[in-house]
Amino acid sequence: MKYLLSVLFGAISYGVLSTIVVLAYGQGYQLGEVVGAQLLTGFILAWMLAFYTKQREQRKARTASNAVSPVAQAAEAAKALAAKLTWKSRVLLMLAGMPTAITGLLYYHSLRYIPASLAIILLFQFTWISVLIQAFSKRQRPKGVMMLALIVLFGGTLLAAGIMEDGAAQFNWIGIIFGLLSAVSYSLLILFSGKAVPAVHPAYRSAWMITGGLLLVFILFPPMFLFNGLIWGQLLVFGFLLGLFGAFIPPVLFAIGVPHIGEGMAGVLGAAELPVAVTMSALILNEHVSMLQWVGVVVVLMGILLPELKRFKGRSQRTMAA
């Protein structure tokens, strides 16, 4: 149960980000300042965790060496050497972390033009975009329950976005385009992040990946807020909250829970980000979310759950047959 809760709380943490970003925009802060402050906070927290992890591993190694045979010590040393980070691995991890920054930039920029409740709906289009990317890469057309899930997702998106009520003319198309681009970027992030040096400890992987994202943002948006005094105002609070709930807590909780519950169940629990984000935008930002839009949110969640329910049913049948 604790691993399920770990992934669930990680998803909930992601759900509060859009509300914090809109509040930061309301105080006059710009995109580069918001994302830069978030990743800088996440960078500091991630490296603190990495150094703590290294110290803990060294203490455990010293304690174990007193009670382990020389043969076992040699095996452990070989294992540690195999998982040791080379500079090539560091560069690969930093490159894999850059889509995180790109996703944040695109998603947060869309919040300048469209409501947070719509932006999160657009971000969640990564579900079917990921399916299409895999279909093209494997040259296989989605079949059966996956096609049904895509149709349900599309219908739920139309409802949740409010298009069925008010039409598409009311929306700012710049915001919609950036919201959809953030979904594409997030799909690529999912595709690449899990394949980048998987043998390395999650704490070290997270630290180097966020380092790559921070470098990219600082290249695109030079961090003048570090020198003009803005960082010591409310930007520090917003940056800390965004870094804590966006760049630190979720990766740590996912690293703890996902290996024990599997990627499928993690995807189901990760969908909790959607209703949390919509609820926060309605309660704190006072955005209007109609009953029909809430129905759309539920339909989108059903579209996400359908493939996993099919897999769960298949596993249950195989277990009973065995």
Side-chain angles (χ1 to χ4, degrees), residues 243-281:
L244 183 65
F245 289 110
F248 181 69
I249 289 179
V252 172
L253 292 180
F254 288 163
I256 293 172
V258 173
H260 295 274
I261 67 173
E263 294 180 357
M265 182 57 68
V268 172
L269 295 175
E273 176 187 350
L274 175 58
V276 170
V278 175
T279 302
M280 293 282 288
S281 65

Side-chain angles (χ1 to χ4, degrees), residues 6-208:
S6 176
V7 175
L8 179 63
F9 287 139
I12 290 173
S13 297
Y14 273 137
V16 307
L17 297 181
S18 57
T19 297
I20 299 173
V21 171
V22 173
L23 293 175
Y25 284 160
Q27 296 300 316
Y29 296 114
Q30 302 300 311
L31 174 64
E33 295 166 348
V34 172
V35 180
Q38 173 186 358
L39 290 179
L40 181 61
T41 302
F43 171 84
I44 294 171
L45 292 174
W47 278 107
M48 288 175 62
L49 177 63
F51 286 129
Y52 169 76
T53 301
K54 183 176 182 180
Q55 293 296 322
R56 188 181 63 179
E57 288 179 341
Q58 289 176 344
R59 287 196 300 268
K60 289 174 63 177
R62 285 195 297 267
T63 302
S65 64
N66 297 326
V68 178
S69 67
V71 175
Q73 289 183 33
E76 287 295 324
K79 182 180 177 181
L81 183 61
K84 186 178 180 181
L85 272 171
T86 63
W87 274 108
K88 180 181 178 181
S89 299
R90 294 185 179 101
V91 172
L92 286 175
L93 286 171
M94 285 193 286
L95 290 174
M98 288 183 179
T100 305
I102 295 172
T103 301
L105 289 170
L106 294 170
Y107 178 48
Y108 293 172
H109 191 57
S110 72
L111 291 169
R112 282 213 172 270
Y113 302 96
I114 56 178
S117 54
L118 174 58
I120 186 64
I121 294 293
L122 295 176
L123 177 64
F124 259 73
Q125 302 313 298
F126 79 86
T127 51
W128 62 265
I129 292 174
S130 299
V131 173
L132 289 183
I133 291 175
Q134 292 181 3
F136 277 115
S137 63
K138 297 180 180 179
R139 297 182 180 180
Q140 293 179 351
R141 180 185 300 178
K143 298 179 181 179
V145 70
M146 187 58 69
M147 285 297 298
L148 176 61
L150 294 179
I151 294 172
V152 172
L153 278 168
F154 182 74
T157 299
L158 293 180
L159 291 173
I163 294 175
M164 303 296 290
E165 292 178 295
D166 305 315
Q170 63 159 330
F171 299 119
N172 187 306
W173 283 99
I174 296 177
I176 290 178
I177 290 171
F178 276 99
L180 290 174
L181 287 176
S182 72
V184 174
S185 177
Y186 192 47
S187 301
L188 295 175
L189 170 63
I190 294 173
L191 180 65
F192 293 127
S193 62
K195 298 180 179 179
V197 202
V200 175
H201 192 285
Y204 306 140
R205 293 181 74 251
S206 178
W208 281 107

